[in-house]
Amino acid sequence: MIYWDIFRMALNALWANRLRSGLTLLGVIIGVTSVITIISAIEGFMGSVQAEINKLGPTTFLVVRVGGIITSEDAFFEMIKRKPFEVEYAEAIEDACEDCEKIAMQAYGFSREVKYRDKKLSNVYIRGAGASMIDIVDYEVEHGRFYSYEEDYGGRRVAFVGTTIQKQLFPNIDPIGKTIKINNLKYDIIGIAKEQGATFGHDADKIIFIPFNTFAKDFGTPRRNLTIFVKARSIDVLDKAMDQTRVVLRAYRHVPYDKEDDFSLLTADSIMEQFNNITRFMRFGLIGITSISLIVGGIIIMNIMMVSVTERTREIGIRKSIGARQKDILFQFLFESFILSVGGGLIGISLGVLLGDLLINLINMDMTPSLLAILLGIGISSGIGIFFGIYPAMKAARLQPVKALSYE
Amino acid sequence: MALIETNNLWKTYDMGKVQVHALRGISIKIDKGDYIAVMGPSGSGKSTLMNLIGCLDTPTQGEYHLNGKRVSQMHDDELAEIRNREIGFVFQTFNLMPRSTALHNVELPLIYGGRNREERLQMARHALEVVNLGERVMHKPSELSGGQRQRVAIARAMVNKPSLLLADEPTGNIDTKTGDEIMGLFAELHNNGNTIILVTHEMDIARNADRILFIRDGQIEKEEIVRRAS
Ligand SMILES: Nc1ncnc2c1ncn2[C@@H]1O[C@H](COP(=O)(O)OP(=O)(O)OP(=O)(O)O)[C@@H](O)[C@H]1O
Ligand SMILES: [Mg+2]
């Protein structure tokens, strides 16, 4: 095959100009590496967010006062003026929603210092949640138990703690049955959650669940920050469960029939979608900015190829004089820019994946080497080789043999 | 049928304000097996004529038939194929690829001719042996003398067994003794039935040919027959 021979000639020409080829390669490598790193990092980040949100499970939805997609300024002001939630909503939904399996009220918590004897741990996230919360979200009991309805109803001071609490405050002892202090109030530890692992800098195990009613009693009812977690009986009846919940809440909140809901229902999918929407601009912006370095890499290739064509005008003349056709010359130069860009691309992808990995480990994210990023890298770099290489190659192919031969 | 037949060939270079007429109506006929020398003062149009005959360039006006094919109206790529198969060119400045070995230089026309690697290497080696460079196949041009370089160029020109060998002052850049060797090689090629056109400034060299064409100001001035073609 003549093209294989031409490919080898292209390789030889690049090898003959090692230093120059190497520097050109570097230009492409930098571009591709930065794009791949950014894409990998973004993908990893989105992946961990997704994983976090998926902890809700596919059959769970949230009822919140403020949330969902904000489409306009008016919608935003309408939202912040919404009436607070009432504690009775949970019971009302429980009574009226046939397709709802579990309902739990949650008070969005805050960070507090937790003490055990003379040991202290600050910034522990305290969540006040109903007793069925354990069946709704993806927390599992490692040891001991979650609190019961009775304990919640009675406002008992019991605590279900994450593994960080155990590790920091109870290094060598069993924490079950021990008493910790939050805000100088005593709580008995009754269970430990299975380890969640840290996600992007946030330690999901540095958490304490206390019964909702206990929370309300000790810290006040946070009516503006109530969230109702609802688990439908199955994925098939999720929509129905949501409709039933909506009907109950509209009645309780006296929403006129011709007005929109003054609350929002969120599923894992809708939260993810919302998150996607919010971050889309940032993600594409980042990719756009780093793509500039790819274009710079392409321009370097084009520049080098232009120099190369001018420098090798005589060589081109010789080739033509012994019978090289336009496409033979075209392909030789195109192969050269293609090898540079794809070679740079492959090295850049490897570096990018490595770097992305490193970056993500720094901030504790899961990182799967993204197939998308790799395919994109190969596609973009070969595209660049052809796009920026075609003009110099055409210039070379169209040289007149006599003129090229007499070029000094 | 003549191998080469030109009819009123003109080549005009448009230099903006002035037009340079490098050739003004050249009509020649060259048969297969002829050995022609072209002489004339500097700037008379010898190289221009060789470039047209060698299909490196196209005439501004006039007709050119090579082997019965009308090449004066052909496209770039068709001309490239003719150059590859029908024509071997030897230049004053050798025009070898400086970074490639003698073998690769000679192999190059066969690559563009689409021959396979084995066949190519065998043909290229053989052509180098014919010009007595069998021992130097892996040398680069910079590792060869002027005469050896020109012999590599001749091997490259002849490797595809073209119908026509064109040489534009092939001895212009080498000393007389080496020049004689080159002329010996040409005589051999001619004896084997090859058609040769040779541009030279030296009468001694021109006398190797059967016929000498004298060119002045882009026109054939006269023609001298050295010896009747056998
Ligand atoms: N590319 C060109 N552009 C303009 N004029 C040209 C070009 N090539 C050749 N000429 C002119 O055409 C004329 C013939 O040139 P040519 O090279 O054919 O001469 P020559 O007979 O080969 O001379 P020499 O013996 O010095 O090699 C000259 O006047 C030259 O200046
Ligand atoms: Mg000349």
Side-chain angles (χ1 to χ4, degrees):
Chain A
M1 259 298 272
I2 179 163
Y3 291 105
W4 171 239
D5 291 302
I6 290 176
F7 184 79
R8 286 206 340 198
M9 293 195 279
L11 271 180
N12 285 337
L14 290 175
W15 182 245
N17 274 307
R18 290 183 275 288
L19 181 64
R20 184 194 287 181
S21 307
L23 289 173
T24 313
L25 217 52
L26 205 62
V28 182
I29 291 171
I30 291 170
V32 174
T33 305
S34 44
V35 171
I36 297 297
T37 309
I38 288 295
I39 292 179
S40 301
I42 289 175
E43 286 238 314
F45 172 68
M46 297 303 281
S48 10
V49 170
Q50 176 92 61
E52 189 71 5
I53 290 172
N54 281 348
K55 282 180 185 166
L56 272 183
T59 54
T60 303
F61 62 95
L62 308 183
V63 187
V64 293
R65 191 175 67 91
V66 171
I69 297 156
I70 297 170
T71 46
S72 66
E73 207 175 314
D74 288 347
F76 174 73
F77 284 115
E78 182 274 318
M79 234 175 231
I80 56 172
K81 278 188 284 190
R82 286 174 177 179
K83 277 190 290 187
F85 275 15
E86 300 295 340
V87 180
E88 307 90 80
Y89 291 177
E91 236 168 277
I93 296 169
E94 189 131 39
D95 289 345
C97 174
E98 282 171 24
D99 291 309
C100 298
E101 192 186 338
K102 303 267 180 189
I103 292 115
M105 200 53 128
Q106 169 169 286
Y108 261 111
F110 38 72
S111 294
R112 282 290 140 86
E113 189 177 69
V114 176
K115 288 184 208 161
Y116 172 68
R117 297 199 171 155
D118 53 347
K119 287 207 188 77
K120 288 176 191 165
L121 182 61
S122 50
N123 286 323
V124 178
Y125 191 57
I126 316 289
R127 275 167 92 169
S132 27
M133 188 57 89
I134 190 75
D135 301 321
I136 297 177
V137 294
D138 189 21
Y139 272 92
E140 277 174 62
V141 179
E142 172 75 38
H143 194 45
R145 60 177 180 85
F146 202 69
Y147 41 79
S148 65
Y149 285 95
E150 291 70 27
E151 283 164 327
D152 184 8
Y153 190 73
R156 302 282 304 278
R157 292 208 176 96
V158 288
F160 179 76
V161 304
T163 48
T164 305
I165 319 295
Q166 176 187 21
K167 282 179 193 149
Q168 302 286 328
L169 296 181
F170 305 94
N172 292 311
I173 28 173
D174 182 3
I176 307 254
K178 300 285 185 299
T179 304
I180 49 173
K181 274 189 188 169
I182 308 169
N183 257 14
N184 273 326
L185 296 170
K186 290 178 181 164
Y187 295 81
D188 294 331
I189 296 179
I190 53 164
I192 298 160
K194 196 169 243 161
E195 185 157 347
Q196 297 281 318
T199 40
F200 45 102
H202 165 67
D203 182 358
D205 298 305
K206 201 171 174 185
I207 189 167
I208 294 178
F209 282 93
I210 59 174
F212 180 79
N213 288 310
T214 316
F215 187 96
K217 187 174 75 181
D218 291 349
F219 304 105
T221 313
R223 287 169 66 224
R224 295 195 163 268
N225 289 319
L226 288 179
T227 301
I228 307 165
F229 283 64
V230 184
K231 187 181 168 87
R233 289 194 192 281
S234 75
I235 189 99
D236 300 326
V237 296
L238 177 65
D239 286 344
K240 272 201 207 156
M242 289 172 77
D243 282 343
Q244 291 159 3
T245 305
R246 184 173 287 127
V247 170
V248 176
L249 279 194
R250 287 180 68 93
Y252 262 76
R253 290 168 71 78
H254 310 293
V255 182
Y257 70 95
D258 57 344
K259 285 267 168 26
E260 304 262 318
D261 294 349
D262 64 348
F263 53 89
S264 306
L265 301 187
L266 305 173
T267 59
D269 284 350
S270 72
I271 295 171
M272 192 63 209
E273 196 187 314
Q274 212 180 321
F275 182 78
N276 268 332
N277 279 335
I278 295 166
T279 55
R280 175 167 297 140
F281 217 64
M282 180 197 82
R283 285 180 286 140
F284 285 106
L286 268 175
I287 294 173
I289 290 167
T290 34
S291 300
I292 293 173
S293 58
L294 267 181
I295 294 173
V296 172
I299 292 172
I300 294 175
I301 289 190
M302 184 156 169
N303 187 34
I304 287 297
M305 293 313 291
M306 294 295 281
V307 172
S308 180
V309 168
T310 310
E311 227 180 46
R312 286 153 68 191
T313 300
R314 251 183 103 85
E315 175 198 317
I316 296 162
I318 295 172
R319 290 182 187 280
K320 291 201 132 190
S321 75
I322 57 172
R325 288 154 301 181
Q326 291 201 358
K327 63 174 180 217
D328 298 330
I329 303 292
L330 182 89
F331 273 103
Q332 170 160 2
F333 282 89
L334 216 48
F335 279 151
E336 287 182 27
S337 55
F338 194 73
I339 293 167
L340 286 175
S341 63
V342 173
L346 289 177
I347 300 174
I349 288 165
S350 326
L351 279 178
V353 169
L354 275 177
L355 254 156
D357 223 4
L358 221 81
L359 244 165
I360 273 163
N361 281 334
L362 273 180
I363 50 174
N364 283 319
M365 267 196 260
D366 277 346
M367 161 73 197
T368 36
S370 150
L371 190 67
L372 171 83
I374 290 169
L375 289 180
L376 215 67
I378 294 174
I380 289 176
S381 56
S382 44
I384 279 181
I386 293 173
F387 182 81
F388 288 98
I390 193 96
Y391 178 71
M394 268 168 49
K395 208 180 133 176
R398 288 190 182 155
L399 283 174
Q400 295 290 284
V402 177
K403 272 194 197 138
L405 276 173
S406 58
Y407 183 84
E408 300 288 340
Chain B
M1 187 184 62
L3 177 66
I4 289 170
E5 194 167 354
T6 76
N7 185 12
N8 198 25
L9 277 192
W10 280 73
K11 183 72 187 179
T12 306
Y13 293 104
D14 201 341
M15 306 295 289
K17 285 201 179 109
V18 283
Q19 291 196 320
V20 179
H21 299 289
L23 296 179
R24 312 157 177 259
I26 300 262
S27 302
I28 49 171
K29 226 180 196 178
I30 293 169
D31 286 323
K32 215 169 167 42
D34 274 357
Y35 190 173
I36 312 284
V38 178
M39 295 194 76
S42 186
S44 56
K46 302 183 296 294
S47 295
T48 307
L49 179 62
M50 291 295 265
N51 290 339
L52 290 188
I53 292 176
C55 294
L56 283 171
D57 213 347
T58 45
T60 316
Q61 237 185 75
E63 294 274 304
Y64 169 29
H65 290 263
L66 174 70
N67 253 339
K69 277 173 280 189
R70 184 171 165 212
V71 292
S72 40
Q73 253 79 42
M74 278 187 180
H75 280 293
D76 242 37
D77 281 354
E78 295 171 297
L79 291 175
E81 263 163 55
I82 297 226
R83 288 197 293 272
N84 186 254
R85 273 184 278 118
E86 312 268 11
I87 291 162
F89 227 119
V90 177
F91 304 90
Q92 180 178 1
T93 49
F94 318 133
N95 281 342
L96 297 174
M97 307 285 282
R99 275 192 285 262
S100 304
T101 61
L103 189 66
H104 182 70
N105 265 290
V106 178
E107 188 194 1
L108 209 50
L110 302 172
I111 292 180
Y112 290 123
R115 288 183 196 258
N116 71 45
R117 193 176 153 76
E118 227 167 289
E119 198 181 4
R120 253 159 37 201
L121 288 177
Q122 197 213 323
M123 286 170 81
R125 277 218 171 77
H126 177 73
L128 281 164
E129 272 158 25
V130 169
V131 297
N132 275 325
L133 283 175
E135 317 275 271
R136 296 276 191 280
V137 289
M138 293 324 264
H139 286 235
K140 292 187 178 160
S142 58
E143 297 155 3
L144 294 168
S145 72
Q148 286 170 331
R149 284 181 217 184
Q150 197 57 299
R151 280 189 277 156
V152 174
I154 292 169
R156 181 181 65 186
M158 297 310 296
V159 73
N160 231 347
K161 306 229 170 357
S163 350
L164 181 61
L165 176 63
L166 300 173
D168 194 349
E169 297 186 50
T171 57
N173 270 353
I174 43 191
D175 61 74
T176 324
K177 189 174 156 288
T178 328
D180 287 345
E181 278 172 36
I182 299 290
M183 292 324 293
L185 212 52
F186 276 34
E188 220 173 288
L189 289 170
H190 177 228
N191 285 337
N192 291 337
N194 288 293
T195 314
I196 301 173
I197 306 177
L198 166 90
V199 171
T200 181
H201 279 289
E202 292 167 66
M203 202 53 185
D204 285 352
I205 287 181
R207 292 208 159 275
N208 285 293
D210 301 336
R211 268 199 290 167
I212 305 175
L213 290 179
F214 291 91
I215 293 189
R216 184 178 290 275
D217 291 334
Q219 288 176 315
I220 307 272
E221 188 187 27
K222 60 176 177 175
E223 191 183 326
E224 187 186 314
I225 292 173
V226 180
R227 72 184 75 85
R228 290 270 159 227
S230 45

